[in-house]
């Protein structure tokens, strides 16, 4: 019994708060890292604002949760993958979903903004689709809804794939291979918009598998061997001093909310009113959906406009609290003048802390 009590006290010690480590000690980083080599339930609690309904970080399933009206099957995912990679879904027959969401770039495309029909430039950066199955409001401004609701938007967008639904369905229904594959998944009958959207959505829910071999995902699965002390210290900062976990938490590392990070460029080149274009609410001017940070180092350039090309510079902006634009004399009484979110505060992290945080992001 004494042995059991001793073991319990020892394991309990591993779950102590970060205050158990002496910040002035030479082994402070090692002490912090050791706490994050334990199961997630024993990690120090994050420091988040009182009104944040956060969720603990967690390992990902084989695919994102599917709604009851579109249950998951491997056959449906396979059909969706074929559609996702097929330029037949565009008017020109030259642009596929995969043209702007490339597998080796975490299903983003590495450009500031994507090229679409007739080489037109899009308005916003193409986001990674890896965690798209977790979002109820896709696109940077949330107008897309869930994966099923969002699926047809790029196909009919005149700047992206520039097609229309009747012609798309005609093209699919006159393709004998597609008719056979749709029938195998959905049963006999003509190919419909709903079936096409459901197949595309089902495939995109499998994209979480792209994270499976990351050091962070392995850590969450109880295998911390690939994480260095510095990276684990960066994880600790992410959850505490850096304030990242106010918006980036849960399995997908996103709160799926909309925040103004000071980059609306209101009244200037690159102006983008963000969520306001959907809701018409003044408080939504310049607010954009929180992106997942899974595989973040593969998704540069960052932000809705793709203007941030260097992670060290991006972290420097967050360290200073992000921009807080002030209205000009002509804008003082403008009810739409955007306000940077109060979630963002000056962090005062030193160069070693910024390096550790940057090192942690490499593991995601």
């Amino acid at each position: 019994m004494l042995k059991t009590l001793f073991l319990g006290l020892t394991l309990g010690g591993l779950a102590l708060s970060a205050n158990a480590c002496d910040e002035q000690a030479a082994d402070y980083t090692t002490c912090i890292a050791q706490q994050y080599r334990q199961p997630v339930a024993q990690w120090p609690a994050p420091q988040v604002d009182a009104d944040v309904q956060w969720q603990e970080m967690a390992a990902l399933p084989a695919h994102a949760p599917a709604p009851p009206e579109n249950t998951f099957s491997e056959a449906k995912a396979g059909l969706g993958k074929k559609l996702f990679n097929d330029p037949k879904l565009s008017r020109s027959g030259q642009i596929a979903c995969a043209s702007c969401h490339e597998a080796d770039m975490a299903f983003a495309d590495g450009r500031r903004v994507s090229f679409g029909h007739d080489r037109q430039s899009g308005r916003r950066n193409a986001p990674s689709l890896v965690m798209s199955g977790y979002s109820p409001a896709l696109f940077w401004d949330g107008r897309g809804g869930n994966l099923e609701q969002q699926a047809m938007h790029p196909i009919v967008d005149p700047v992206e794939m520039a097609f229309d639904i009747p012609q798309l369905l005609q093209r699919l229904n006159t393709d004998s291979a597609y008719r056979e594959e749709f029938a195998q998944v959905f049963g006999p009958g003509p190919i419909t918009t709903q079936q096409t959207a459901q197949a595309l959505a089902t495939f995109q829910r499998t994209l979480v598998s792209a994270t499976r071999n990351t050091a962070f995902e392995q850590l969450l699965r109880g295998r911390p061997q690939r994480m260095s002390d510095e990276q684990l210290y960066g994880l600790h900062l992410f959850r505490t001093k850096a304030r990242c976990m106010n918006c980036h938490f849960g399995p997908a590392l996103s709160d799926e909310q909309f925040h103004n990070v000071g980059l609306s460029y209101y009244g200037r080149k690159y102006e983008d009113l963000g969520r306001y274009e959907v809701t018409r609410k003044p408080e939504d001017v310049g607010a954009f959906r929180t992106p997942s940070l899974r595989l973040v180092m593969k998704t540069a350039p960052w932000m809705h406009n793709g203007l941030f090309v260097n992670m060290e510079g991006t972290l420097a902006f967050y360290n200073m609290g992000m921009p807080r634009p002030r209205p000009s004399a002509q804008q003082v009484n403008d009810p739409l003048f955007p306000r940077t979110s109060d979630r963002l505060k000056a962090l005062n992290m030193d160069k070693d802390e910024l390096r550790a945080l940057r090192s942690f992001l490499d593991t995601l």
Side-chain angles (χ1 to χ4, degrees), residues 9-48:
L9 290 171
T10 302
L11 290 173
L14 295 175
L16 290 173
S17 74
N19 293 332
C21 298
D22 182 359
E23 286 193 50
Q24 305 306 315
D27 66 347
Y28 175 66
T29 297
T30 301
C31 179
I32 289 290
Q34 183 58 29
Q35 298 195 20
Y36 288 96
R37 288 195 169 92
Q38 311 312 314
V40 176
Q42 295 179 22
W43 288 1
Q47 296 171 12
V48 296

Side-chain angles (χ1 to χ4, degrees), residues 28-80:
Y28 175 66
T29 297
T30 301
C31 179
I32 289 290
Q34 183 58 29
Q35 298 195 20
Y36 288 96
R37 288 195 169 92
Q38 311 312 314
V40 176
Q42 295 179 22
W43 288 1
Q47 296 171 12
V48 296
D49 295 342
D51 62 328
V52 174
Q53 297 180 345
W54 64 279
Q55 295 178 311
E56 186 52 274
M57 297 169 169
L60 291 163
H63 56 79
E69 64 274 14
N70 186 23
T71 56
F72 181 85
S73 77
E74 293 292 346
K76 195 187 299 180
L79 174 58

Side-chain angles (χ1 to χ4, degrees), residues 49-313:
D49 295 342
D51 62 328
V52 174
Q53 297 180 345
W54 64 279
Q55 295 178 311
E56 186 52 274
M57 297 169 169
L60 291 163
H63 56 79
E69 64 274 14
N70 186 23
T71 56
F72 181 85
S73 77
E74 293 292 346
K76 195 187 299 180
L79 174 58
K81 181 177 182 179
K82 179 177 178 178
L83 290 164
F84 188 89
N85 289 283
D86 195 340
K88 287 182 180 179
L89 272 64
S90 65
R91 179 175 298 279
S92 66
Q94 297 176 339
I95 302 171
C97 303
S99 300
C100 301
H101 300 284
E102 301 177 29
D104 59 353
M105 294 183 176
F107 293 91
D109 70 356
R111 300 181 180 93
R112 189 182 77 78
V113 294
S114 299
F115 293 115
H117 185 69
D118 284 343
R119 301 291 288 177
Q120 297 177 84
S121 294
R123 262 182 87 199
R124 296 173 179 154
N125 180 256
S128 167
L129 297 184
V130 169
M131 291 294 118
S132 57
Y134 281 88
S135 180
L138 289 160
F139 296 123
W140 283 103
D141 56 16
R143 71 187 185 280
N146 65 18
L147 279 171
E148 285 79 7
Q149 295 164 334
Q150 174 272 342
M152 293 296 128
H153 283 247
I155 294 172
V156 301
D157 188 303
V159 175
E160 296 188 47
M161 299 168 83
F163 214 3
D164 62 65
I165 300 303
Q167 291 184 74
L168 168 65
L169 294 179
Q170 181 181 19
R171 187 177 288 180
L172 293 176
N173 276 293
T174 55
D175 185 309
S176 59
Y178 269 126
R179 284 202 314 273
E180 181 177 345
E181 290 178 63
F182 270 86
Q184 290 174 353
V185 172
F186 295 103
I191 297 170
T192 67
T193 305
Q194 182 183 51
Q195 292 171 351
T196 305
Q198 288 183 340
L200 284 166
T202 300
F203 167 63
Q204 289 174 82
R205 290 193 173 96
T206 71
L207 302 185
V208 297
S209 64
T211 72
R212 189 168 297 152
N213 293 322
T214 64
F216 179 65
E217 180 67 12
Q218 292 301 304
L219 173 72
L220 294 171
R221 293 173 181 267
R223 296 187 284 272
Q225 294 86 350
R226 288 169 53 195
M227 299 282 284
S228 69
D229 284 0
E230 182 180 55
Q231 289 168 336
L232 290 168
Y233 180 47
L235 166 60
H236 177 66
L237 292 167
F238 184 98
R239 294 166 61 87
T240 56
K241 184 175 181 178
R243 294 180 55 80
C244 307
M245 204 157 160
N246 278 291
C247 300
H248 299 281
F249 52 71
L253 295 185
S254 173
D255 63 359
E256 295 300 339
Q257 301 296 312
F258 299 85
H259 304 281
N260 183 335
V261 297
L263 299 175
S264 65
Y265 292 85
Y266 191 71
R268 296 179 289 157
K269 183 181 179 181
Y270 300 122
E271 178 185 272
D272 192 331
L273 303 186
R275 181 68 170 161
Y276 171 79
E277 296 180 3
V278 179
T279 67
R280 313 311 291 183
K281 295 179 180 179
E283 62 267 29
D284 286 336
V285 173
F288 295 90
R289 185 171 64 86
T290 304
S292 169
L293 294 185
R294 294 283 194 149
L295 297 173
V296 64
M297 296 310 299
K298 289 189 174 184
T299 64
W302 299 284
M303 305 300 180
H304 68 275
N305 48 27
L307 291 177
F308 282 51
V309 299
N310 177 281
M311 182 53 75
E312 286 75 14

